[in-house]
Amino acid sequence: MKIAYLGPQSSFTDLAVKKAFPEEETLPFTTIPDCIEAVMDGEVDYAVVPLENALEGSVHITVDYLFHEADLAIVAELTSAIQQHLMVHPDWKDQPGQPEKIMSHPHALAQCHKFLRGTYKGVPLEQSTSTSAGAKFVSEHPESFLGAIGNELAAEHYGLAILHDHIHDVTYNHTRFIVLHKKHREVSIPHETSLHKTTLMVTLPKDRSGALHQVLSAFAWRQLNLSKIESRPLKTGLGDYFFLIDVDHELDDVLLPGAINEMEALGCSVKLVGHYPSFMLS
Amino acid sequence: MKIAYLGPQSSFTDLAVKKAFPEEETLPFTTIPDCIEAVMDGEVDYAVVPLENALEGSVHITVDYLFHEADLAIVAELTSAIQQHLMVHPDWKDQPGQPEKIMSHPHALAQCHKFLRGTYKGVPLEQSTSTSAGAKFVSEHPESFLGAIGNELAAEHYGLAILHDHIHDVTYNHTRFIVLHKKHREVSIPHETSLHKTTLMVTLPKDRSGALHQVLSAFAWRQLNLSKIESRPLKTGLGDYFFLIDVDHELDDVLLPGAINEMEALGCSVKLVGHYPSFMLS
């Protein structure tokens, strides 16, 4: 079984994949569309890509590509805490003073803003294209005292020593990743779960005032809880949207099919993107 | 009267500002937060920033900054068609053959993808930080046959000749800009309008299933049409959102205050971001 993931190696997606599929062969791809296309072309069996981050919001390229370009099913959701560490080349581990500069992806630098300002005030920060690109650069320049911010996998992969662990400013930062396959199937993931979700993409009939309210009524009167609703442009004109809707309920024989049938009878088009278990990776 | 806008000079925001406020003093700022802060600090009277594009969706930094950081009012909305042209230094206007390379912002290059592939297949494309940065580079290198893609203001400002006009692939690409001021007031804009809008930011009570449906009911039973609803992360944890809601109705004395009062009674917090006329700039 082969699994595509959003690379490079030691990215946060790689870390989530290693926890969920410890035994499988994995393959990094440069972009999210590349990961999705690899499943569609049959080059891999599954793809794992980020869908949403607690601070940044949805990853639009994932949502838009699944709506406009790809016909794949979400077969599992993986939620992972984003934990950042400051790492240096092992030769510099016991060096007093401050590194010449600290490198990482702009998001990671932003996530550690308070720590950096408190402990390393005045040390220049340099942006890298990914957290692991920063770690790679540090590993290749042992002659200089440099720091990189990234996850534990990057430290391990590039042989760096962690100088300060868990330096991210907020503890509630999580990312949701989705596992994609050509069609619905059960996947075996060695973690416990009791939560099942169903994801729909709904396009409303044009110019009908209150259509979104009608759609939400179909869920509300069945007490189907929505954990997310998000609008994205249809790319046909300003004010034309589709809605990504996550329902905290597994696809049953009565309630969800009833809601979907009603929405379609109201003139909506509904795409069932997946019904799947949700795993919190420790 | 001084107006801050998202620069650089000759940006699409600059073009919208020049059409809406032809007589006023304008000042470019590098980032959207810089524009907003300039109003809050009293350095300028108004700021004009992009809020949403028909192809790319909402400009999150604008929405998030207005929710989390700034207490400003939207006093007008400006909708502007995004039209791209290919420009060259006038010395090369009548040159046969193809330019050595064509420069622009990645979004503009993407918006002219079909034209470029059809008419200039094989010509290298180079990314610039803005459409006007590409035009500036072309104007400073008259010794080479170079192309830039941007709006008519960039051509005029940098003294370039338009070789092909209206080369964008789709005609329905528009951007919505908002005019921000410290508090609600009427602004004088020399265009006609019959459309008024009210914008709210609503935070739902935690863990109440169906709360969004209740909120939409408050609008639906009053036949208040929503032209936009969008969720953004509260930045307090995965699954915590606020909603940006545009109502196609001016702030009256009965209907909208009634809806706002009901939402607050249901435990929502509601921020009235503005009630304002909407202008289509020709």
Side-chain angles (χ1 to χ4, degrees):
Chain A
M1 203 172 92
K2 273 166 97 171
I3 301 173
Y5 68 91
L6 179 64
Q9 278 191 20
S10 315
S11 67
F12 280 94
T13 314
D14 188 8
L15 184 59
V17 171
K18 283 205 167 48
K19 286 178 179 173
F21 302 98
E23 307 292 330
E24 305 298 338
E25 184 188 350
T26 64
L27 212 60
F29 285 79
T30 310
T31 69
I32 289 170
D34 287 342
C35 294
I36 294 175
E37 296 284 348
V39 180
M40 291 169 70
D41 296 346
E43 191 181 343
V44 298
D45 302 287
Y46 297 95
V48 179
V49 294
L51 179 68
E52 183 179 18
N53 174 268
L55 301 181
E56 306 292 333
S58 279
V59 180
H60 294 318
I61 184 77
T62 301
V63 176
D64 289 358
Y65 212 80
L66 285 178
F67 182 83
H68 291 288
E69 307 289 342
D71 196 22
L72 296 181
I74 302 175
V75 296
E77 172 180 278
L78 313 171
T79 300
S80 190
I82 300 298
Q83 299 174 329
Q84 306 283 8
H85 316 297
L86 180 71
M87 50 196 79
V88 297
H89 192 278
D91 293 354
W92 295 93
K93 189 175 173 2
D94 300 313
Q95 177 74 13
Q98 298 192 321
E100 289 168 34
K101 64 180 176 184
I102 295 174
M103 311 177 67
S104 197
H105 188 273
H107 284 183
L109 294 173
Q111 286 163 17
C112 304
H113 176 71
K114 284 181 195 162
F115 168 83
L116 290 171
R117 207 172 43 178
T119 310
Y120 289 107
K121 196 171 163 67
V123 175
L125 305 178
E126 189 171 306
Q127 300 189 348
S128 54
T129 55
S130 66
T131 52
S132 60
K136 183 163 184 266
F137 186 92
V138 169
S139 74
E140 289 168 348
H141 294 80
E143 72 283 3
S144 303
F145 185 17
L146 303 175
I149 292 173
N151 63 34
E152 62 269 32
L153 198 55
E156 191 189 308
H157 186 77
Y158 294 108
L160 301 182
I162 291 180
L163 205 57
H164 297 273
D165 59 12
H166 299 85
I167 61 168
H168 43 283
D169 296 332
V170 299
T171 55
Y172 48 73
N173 189 17
H174 287 77
T175 296
R176 290 171 62 203
F177 300 91
I178 50 176
V179 184
L180 296 165
H181 186 59
K182 275 192 177 173
K183 55 182 195 291
H184 175 70
R185 65 176 292 184
E186 284 189 19
V187 286
S188 167
I189 289 177
H191 292 260
E192 293 201 357
T193 180
S194 56
L195 177 62
H196 276 72
K197 289 186 175 183
T198 301
T199 294
L200 306 171
M201 287 176 172
V202 178
T203 310
L204 305 181
K206 282 225 176 197
D207 294 328
R208 171 119 62 85
S209 171
L212 181 60
H213 174 247
Q214 284 188 305
V215 161
L216 295 188
S217 299
F219 297 105
W221 67 50
R222 292 176 172 88
Q223 293 194 296
L224 293 167
N225 190 35
L226 308 186
S227 54
K228 180 185 174 79
I229 176 165
E230 165 141 349
S231 56
R232 285 294 303 154
L234 275 177
K235 300 184 193 273
T236 52
L238 210 54
D240 297 342
Y241 305 101
F242 69 92
F243 289 86
L244 177 75
I245 295 176
D246 286 350
V247 191
D248 277 350
H249 202 271
E250 53 190 321
L251 187 64
D252 63 336
D253 294 332
V254 180
L255 293 172
L256 266 166
I260 292 171
N261 286 342
E262 279 173 19
M263 288 187 280
E264 288 177 340
L266 288 167
C268 299
S269 84
V270 182
K271 182 174 180 177
L272 173 66
V273 191
H275 50 111
Y276 50 85
S278 172
F279 299 92
M280 174 62 83
L281 304 178
S282 52
Chain B
M1 204 172 90
K2 274 167 96 171
I3 301 173
Y5 68 92
L6 179 64
Q9 277 191 22
S10 314
S11 66
F12 280 93
T13 314
D14 188 8
L15 184 61
V17 171
K18 284 206 166 47
K19 285 178 178 172
F21 302 98
E23 307 292 331
E24 305 299 339
E25 182 187 352
T26 64
L27 211 60
F29 284 79
T30 310
T31 69
I32 289 170
D34 287 343
C35 295
I36 294 175
E37 296 284 349
V39 180
M40 289 169 71
D41 296 347
E43 189 181 344
V44 298
D45 302 288
Y46 296 95
V48 179
V49 293
L51 180 67
E52 182 179 19
N53 174 268
L55 301 182
E56 307 292 332
S58 280
V59 180
H60 294 317
I61 185 77
T62 301
V63 177
D64 290 358
Y65 213 81
L66 285 178
F67 182 82
H68 291 288
E69 307 288 343
D71 196 22
L72 296 181
I74 303 175
V75 296
E77 171 181 278
L78 313 170
T79 300
S80 190
I82 300 299
Q83 299 174 330
Q84 306 283 8
H85 315 298
L86 180 71
M87 50 197 78
V88 298
H89 192 277
D91 293 354
W92 295 93
K93 189 175 173 1
D94 300 312
Q95 177 75 11
Q98 298 190 322
E100 290 167 34
K101 64 180 178 185
I102 294 174
M103 310 177 68
S104 197
H105 188 273
H107 285 182
L109 294 173
Q111 286 163 17
C112 304
H113 176 72
K114 285 180 194 163
F115 168 83
L116 290 170
R117 207 172 45 177
T119 309
Y120 289 107
K121 196 173 162 66
V123 175
L125 306 177
E126 189 172 307
Q127 300 189 350
S128 54
T129 55
S130 65
T131 52
S132 60
K136 181 163 185 265
F137 186 92
V138 169
S139 75
E140 290 168 348
H141 294 81
E143 72 283 3
S144 304
F145 186 17
L146 303 175
I149 293 174
N151 63 34
E152 63 269 31
L153 198 57
E156 191 187 309
H157 185 78
Y158 293 107
L160 301 182
I162 290 180
L163 205 57
H164 298 274
D165 59 12
H166 297 86
I167 60 169
H168 44 282
D169 296 332
V170 299
T171 55
Y172 48 72
N173 189 17
H174 288 77
T175 295
R176 290 170 62 201
F177 300 92
I178 50 176
V179 184
L180 295 165
H181 186 59
K182 275 192 177 174
K183 56 183 195 290
H184 175 72
R185 65 175 291 183
E186 284 189 21
V187 286
S188 168
I189 290 177
H191 292 261
E192 293 202 356
T193 180
S194 57
L195 177 63
H196 276 72
K197 290 186 174 183
T198 301
T199 294
L200 306 171
M201 288 176 172
V202 179
T203 310
L204 304 182
K206 283 225 175 198
D207 295 328
R208 170 118 62 85
S209 171
L212 181 60
H213 173 247
Q214 284 188 306
V215 162
L216 295 187
S217 299
F219 297 104
W221 67 49
R222 291 176 171 88
Q223 293 195 296
L224 294 168
N225 191 33
L226 308 185
S227 53
K228 179 185 175 77
I229 175 165
E230 165 143 349
S231 56
R232 286 293 304 153
L234 275 177
K235 301 183 193 272
T236 52
L238 209 55
D240 296 342
Y241 305 101
F242 69 91
F243 289 85
L244 176 76
I245 295 176
D246 284 351
V247 190
D248 278 351
H249 201 272
E250 53 189 321
L251 186 64
D252 63 336
D253 294 331
V254 179
L255 293 173
L256 265 166
I260 292 170
N261 286 342
E262 278 174 20
M263 288 187 281
E264 289 177 340
L266 289 167
C268 300
S269 83
V270 182
K271 181 174 180 176
L272 172 66
V273 191
H275 52 109
Y276 50 85
S278 171
F279 299 92
M280 173 63 81
L281 304 179
S282 53

